[in-house]
């Protein structure tokens, strides 16, 4: 028969609901930290009052189960069809590893690292993202700078390829075209830049390409002509008189009219007329501005030279009476 002791006091082990003895064994179920200690045992033949020499002590150590953590390479968003390496980290050696996805056991090797291909179905990873293309301004005028911007989610590892026309031919980069990060810039836009444009993102180190963007058409057109006229169209203007400049621009778009005197902006308004009272000397021009952003809309107009003369005393001519104007 066997007796079990615990702690240095050689106190006989009390049997809780988690402790049982059967023959030569003492079983601790659901071990807890309270079970940690020194243990001894001793045998006895009760019918003969014989006891064995007590055993050497053995220390039982009970500690919490380690926490497993999984790392994926590459890091960041993972996409369907991609190959990913998983590593399970536990702070102990000689463990066997079981792998699960969506709470289902995976029949793959029970090693610390494993490589899997993500199938084309939902799970704890993403479907391939789609690229989105924006173009500003569009339509554009000859000579303007046009900026194309491509975006693919929030992952910063994407590089971008730009396509033009129905053949999805990669855009060649002449001197007027530059790419920087997510942008493709067309400087001094010309009619040859017109066409359908697409973009696509790629993470080269992982051989991942986004879904190609929807196409966007770039239109490049000539700026409308601005025509400046003087009202009244007098050949001579005298000091103190009032004149009106009118700026006529082709098209029906909502624009603003900018008037200039010797190259300096003097007036901007939504009506095409600028009343000057009293008239002032200067070389006058006008142009149209886009109402939404203030960018240039039209070509610069023809120039009108305003020359204001001193008061006329010829035959007592009044400044406001132009019937006897000398031609």
């Amino acid at each position: 028969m066997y007796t079990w002791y615990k702690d240095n006091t050689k106190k006989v082990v009390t049997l809780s609901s988690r402790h049982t003895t059967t023959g030569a064994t003492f079983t601790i179920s659901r071990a807890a930290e309270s079970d940690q200690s020194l243990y001894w045992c001793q045998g006895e033949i009760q019918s003969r009052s014989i006891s064995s020499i007590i055993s050497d002590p053995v220390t039982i150590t009970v500690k919490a189960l380690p926490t497993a953590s999984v790392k994926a390479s590459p890091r960041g968003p993972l996409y369907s069809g991609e190959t990913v390496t998983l590593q399970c980290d536990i702070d102990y050696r000689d463990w066997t590893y079981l792998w699960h996805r969506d709470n289902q056991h995976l029949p793959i090797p029970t090693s610390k690292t494993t490589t899997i291909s993500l199938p084309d179905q939902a799970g704890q990873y993403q479907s391939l993202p789609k690229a989105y293309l924006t173009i500003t301004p569009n339509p554009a005028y000859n000579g303007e700078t046009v900026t194309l911007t491509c975006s693919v989610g929030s992952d910063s590892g994407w590089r971008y390829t730009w396509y033009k026309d129905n053949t999805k031919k990669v855009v060649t980069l002449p001197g007027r075209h530059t790419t920087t990060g997510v942008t493709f810039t067309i400087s001094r836009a010309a009619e040859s830049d017109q066409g359908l444009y697409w973009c696509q993102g790629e993470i080269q180190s992982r051989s991942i390409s986004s879904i190609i963007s929807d196409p966007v058409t770039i239109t490049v057109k000539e700026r409308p002509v601005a025509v400046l006229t003087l009202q009244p169209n007098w050949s001579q203007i005298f000091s103190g008189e009032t004149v009106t400049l009118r700026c006529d621009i082709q098209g029906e778009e909502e624009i603003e009219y900018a008037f200039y005197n010797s190259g300096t902006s003097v007036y901007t308004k939504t009506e095409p007329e600028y009343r000057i009272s009293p008239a002032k000397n200067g070389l006058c021009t006008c142009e149209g501005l886009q109402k939404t952003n203030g960018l240039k809309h039209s070509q610069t107009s023809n120039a009108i030279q305003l020359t204001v003369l001193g008061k006329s005393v010829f035959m007592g001519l009044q400044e406001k009476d132009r019937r006897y104007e000398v031609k």
Side-chain angles (χ1 to χ4, degrees):
M1 298 287 295
Y2 296 92
T3 305
W4 305 90
Y5 302 94
K6 178 183 178 184
D7 300 328
N8 289 328
T9 58
K10 297 184 181 177
K11 181 180 179 181
V12 175
V13 174
T14 56
L15 298 179
S16 68
S17 59
R18 297 184 298 105
H19 300 162
T20 58
T21 59
T22 303
T25 63
F26 170 52
T27 303
I28 302 174
S29 302
R30 303 185 306 280
E33 289 186 8
S34 59
D35 294 311
Q36 293 189 135
S37 191
L38 284 170
Y39 286 81
W40 295 263
C41 69
Q42 187 176 35
E44 180 183 5
I45 302 176
Q46 293 179 330
S47 61
R48 296 164 55 185
S49 299
I50 295 294
S51 295
S52 71
I53 298 172
I54 202 165
S55 71
D56 293 330
V58 175
T59 299
I60 291 180
T61 302
V62 180
K63 52 188 175 183
L65 282 172
T67 300
S69 63
V70 64
K71 296 179 181 177
S73 180
R75 300 179 62 185
L78 303 175
Y79 302 101
S80 56
E82 188 169 15
T83 297
V84 59
T85 299
L86 303 174
Q87 178 173 309
C88 188
D89 286 330
I90 302 176
D91 293 333
Y92 295 93
R93 298 179 180 178
D94 302 324
W95 286 72
T96 296
Y97 298 83
L98 302 179
W99 291 93
H100 303 262
R101 186 188 70 222
D102 296 338
N103 296 321
Q104 298 294 320
H105 176 249
L106 295 175
I108 56 179
T110 58
S111 58
K112 185 172 185 175
T113 61
T114 187
T115 300
I116 61 173
S117 294
L118 303 179
D120 295 324
Q121 62 188 45
Q124 304 238 354
Y125 44 87
Q126 305 178 20
S127 298
L128 284 174
K130 184 175 182 177
Y132 290 92
L133 175 62
T134 56
I135 300 176
T136 306
N138 192 25
Y141 294 111
N142 277 329
E144 275 192 313
T145 296
V146 181
T147 301
L148 293 76
T149 303
C150 192
S151 61
V152 181
S154 59
D155 193 340
S156 60
W158 296 94
R159 296 178 65 88
Y160 296 92
T161 303
W162 306 88
Y163 302 93
K164 181 184 178 185
D165 300 328
N166 289 327
T167 57
K168 296 184 181 176
K169 181 180 180 181
V170 175
V171 175
T172 57
L173 297 179
R176 297 183 298 104
H177 298 165
T178 57
T179 59
T180 304
V182 301
T183 62
F184 170 52
T185 303
I186 302 173
S187 301
R188 304 185 305 281
E191 291 186 6
S192 60
D193 294 310
Q194 293 188 130
L196 280 173
Y197 287 79
W198 293 263
C199 69
Q200 186 175 33
E202 179 184 7
I203 302 178
Q204 293 176 328
S205 61
R206 293 159 57 180
S207 300
I208 292 295
S209 295
S210 73
I211 298 172
I212 202 164
S213 72
D214 292 330
V216 178
T217 299
I218 291 182
T219 301
V220 181
K221 56 186 180 181
E222 282 287 351
R223 295 182 189 276
V225 175
V227 178
L228 183 64
T229 56
L230 177 66
Q231 299 176 347
N233 189 20
W234 292 328
S235 60
Q236 293 178 328
I237 302 170
F238 296 103
S239 176
E241 289 189 308
T242 297
V243 295
T244 299
L245 294 173
R246 180 177 178 85
C247 191
D248 290 305
I249 299 175
Q250 302 167 343
E252 300 179 352
E253 300 167 40
E254 290 190 5
I255 62 173
E256 293 183 331
Y257 298 86
F259 294 87
Y260 303 89
N261 188 323
S262 300
T264 302
S265 176
V266 291
Y267 202 68
T268 301
K269 59 190 304 184
T270 56
E271 293 79 26
E273 293 184 343
Y274 170 42
R275 186 171 180 268
I276 309 174
S277 180
K280 299 178 179 64
N281 291 326
L283 188 67
C284 299
T285 57
C286 72
E287 65 184 15
L289 302 179
Q290 296 178 31
K291 196 171 183 179
T292 55
N293 53 26
L295 297 176
K296 189 172 181 177
H297 169 78
S298 75
Q299 301 178 42
T300 301
S301 73
N302 56 296
I304 293 180
Q305 177 68 56
L306 292 183
T307 302
V308 180
L309 304 176
K311 291 187 177 181
S312 173
V313 294
F314 178 69
M315 296 177 63
L317 181 65
Q318 297 295 320
E319 294 175 25
K320 63 180 179 180
D321 187 352
R322 311 295 299 195
R323 289 176 298 169
Y324 304 104
E325 180 184 16
V326 177
K327 299 295 184 182

